[in-house]
Amino acid sequence: MWKFIIRRIIIAIPQLFFLSLLVFILASQMPGDPFTGMIDPSITAERLEEMREIHGLNDPWYEQYGRWISSAVTGDFGQSFRYKMPVTELIGDRLLNTAGLGLLTLIFSYLIAIPLGIVSGRFNDTWADRAIAGYTYVGFAVPSFIFGLIALFIFGFRLDWFPVSGSVSPGLTAGTLEYYISKIYHMTLPALSLALITTVGTVQYLRSEIIDIKHKEFILTAKAKGASENRIYNKHIFRNSLLPIAAFFGYEITGILGGSVFIERVFSFPGIGDLLISSINNRDYSVVTALLLLSGCLAVIGTMLSDIILSMVDPRIRIK
């Protein structure tokens, strides 16, 4: 197991290098620069050009990349032009919010997906299976922000059950029980909206696996020996059908991170997704490149987690 982890880390190093190079090149090709569109009429074009020269924006891209990557490996992603603070500190404040939102989304996803997948696979070709299949088709077709807008309108504005913006109620002291309860309360509706989309793939995978496994020879043998149906499903079919969920666990982390970009924007939730969109609009390249590189790192780590968990769940697979 440790050899596998070390091997994956070694493989990930060149992947992250080429990812960082691609991210930096794409960001540098965006129109304008951090000083484009400054509305202060007192700043002359000569002063703007001087500021670009001071910050090295006129240097060749490979020189800018060399400075950026050498600082990035030490955890220094530069200064945010818009927020006037270190990028690492800025992302750290938002990352905790997105991590909490992602964790709550994962919990909701599995609480929804596992029961629906079991019912759909166990009672396939029934009205319940068709209803669940219809829900998954809608989930595949509808973008996450549409679900978010609908949930925001119904449960936020019309019913007033949940807050419609922010991550915590104002006036609360950080670290208190009321503070964390308010955090979870503000995350519930965005997390549920995102989970309703991310869960559809897990439902389909679990359904297909249950239908496939219940026709295997060892299941037929268990039935022939007189094992009860509940024992067969609980002990044999359900345990083996968890493999696709384990295999796609890491990918779901990446999917949730991507979906949070739109959900956070819809709910005005101060996470890294909302920060990414605002940084792109404001041409804050140091923040954009750092966030895209962080997303790539999470994708690589998520893939590694999927392989490790799969080897632990399936006794037939042993990665050495």
Side-chain angles (χ1 to χ4, degrees):
M1 182 66 72
W2 286 108
K3 292 182 179 179
F4 166 75
I5 296 175
I6 294 174
R7 185 166 64 248
R8 289 301 305 271
I9 293 176
I10 294 175
I11 295 175
I13 293 176
Q15 291 177 340
L16 293 176
F17 169 74
F18 286 110
L19 174 66
S20 67
L21 183 61
L22 179 62
V23 165
F24 187 86
I25 293 176
L26 291 177
S28 64
Q29 297 303 311
M30 293 173 62
D33 57 41
F35 301 109
T36 301
M38 297 184 68
I39 60 176
D40 190 347
S42 64
I43 299 180
T44 62
E46 291 77 11
R47 176 54 181 167
L48 288 177
E49 189 64 25
E50 182 183 348
M51 294 172 64
R52 294 187 180 99
E53 190 68 31
I54 292 174
H55 289 86
L57 298 180
N58 293 330
D59 295 338
W61 68 267
Y62 49 86
E63 293 184 7
Q64 298 183 48
Y65 173 76
R67 291 194 299 266
W68 176 74
I69 196 62
S70 59
S71 300
V73 295
T74 63
D76 181 13
F77 290 95
Q79 193 87 359
S80 169
F81 286 94
R82 180 190 179 192
Y83 294 94
K84 310 300 180 183
M85 61 185 300
V87 174
T88 305
E89 182 180 344
L90 176 63
I91 293 178
D93 295 338
R94 305 291 190 100
L95 184 59
L96 292 177
N97 288 336
T98 299
L101 178 63
L103 178 60
L104 193 59
T105 301
L106 276 177
I107 295 175
F108 284 150
S109 295
Y110 288 127
L111 288 177
I112 297 171
I114 292 178
L116 292 182
I118 292 175
V119 171
S120 184
R122 184 170 181 176
F123 306 103
N124 60 301
D125 296 329
T126 63
W127 66 267
D129 178 36
R130 295 187 184 96
I132 295 173
Y135 157 67
T136 59
Y137 295 153
V138 173
F140 279 123
V142 178
S144 59
F145 67 90
I146 296 296
F147 268 52
L149 289 172
I150 295 174
L152 182 66
F153 175 75
I154 296 176
F155 299 104
F157 290 105
R158 296 302 296 268
L159 299 178
D160 197 24
W161 289 357
F162 295 96
V164 297
S165 63
S167 63
V168 67
S169 299
L172 296 179
T173 304
T176 61
L177 179 61
E178 292 80 5
Y179 178 84
Y180 291 114
I181 292 176
S182 178
K183 277 275 190 182
I184 297 175
Y185 182 49
H186 279 72
M187 292 178 186
T188 299
L189 191 56
L192 186 59
S193 302
L194 186 56
L196 290 174
I197 292 294
T198 58
T199 193
V200 295
T202 305
V203 172
Q204 288 285 4
Y205 286 125
L206 185 57
R207 175 188 182 274
S208 300
E209 197 71 11
I210 290 177
I211 293 175
D212 180 64
I213 291 176
K214 70 181 183 181
H215 293 100
K216 297 289 186 181
E217 292 184 359
F218 71 94
I219 299 297
L220 299 177
T221 302
K223 291 181 179 180
K225 289 182 177 180
S228 65
E229 185 176 358
N230 287 334
R231 178 179 175 83
I232 291 174
Y233 271 95
N234 295 333
K235 185 175 178 60
H236 300 289
I237 297 180
F238 178 63
R239 181 179 178 181
N240 287 278
S241 63
L242 286 177
L243 294 180
I245 296 180
F248 285 91
F249 175 77
Y251 298 104
E252 286 189 359
I253 297 177
T254 307
I256 289 174
L257 181 63
S260 67
V261 173
F262 303 102
I263 289 296
E264 289 177 2
R265 199 66 173 174
V266 169
F267 287 90
S268 300
F269 187 82
I272 61 175
D274 179 70
L275 178 63
L276 176 61
I277 298 297
S278 63
S279 298
I280 292 175
N281 292 334
N282 291 281
R283 300 179 178 88
D284 201 346
Y285 298 138
S286 56
V287 179
V288 173
T289 52
L291 289 175
L292 293 178
L293 185 61
L294 174 62
S295 301
C297 292
L298 291 177
V300 173
I301 294 174
T303 304
M304 185 186 307
L305 285 175
S306 294
D307 292 338
I308 295 174
I309 295 174
L310 182 60
S311 67
M312 296 172 61
V313 173
D314 190 352
R316 298 167 297 179
I317 300 175
R318 290 291 180 247
I319 302 177
K320 299 180 180 180

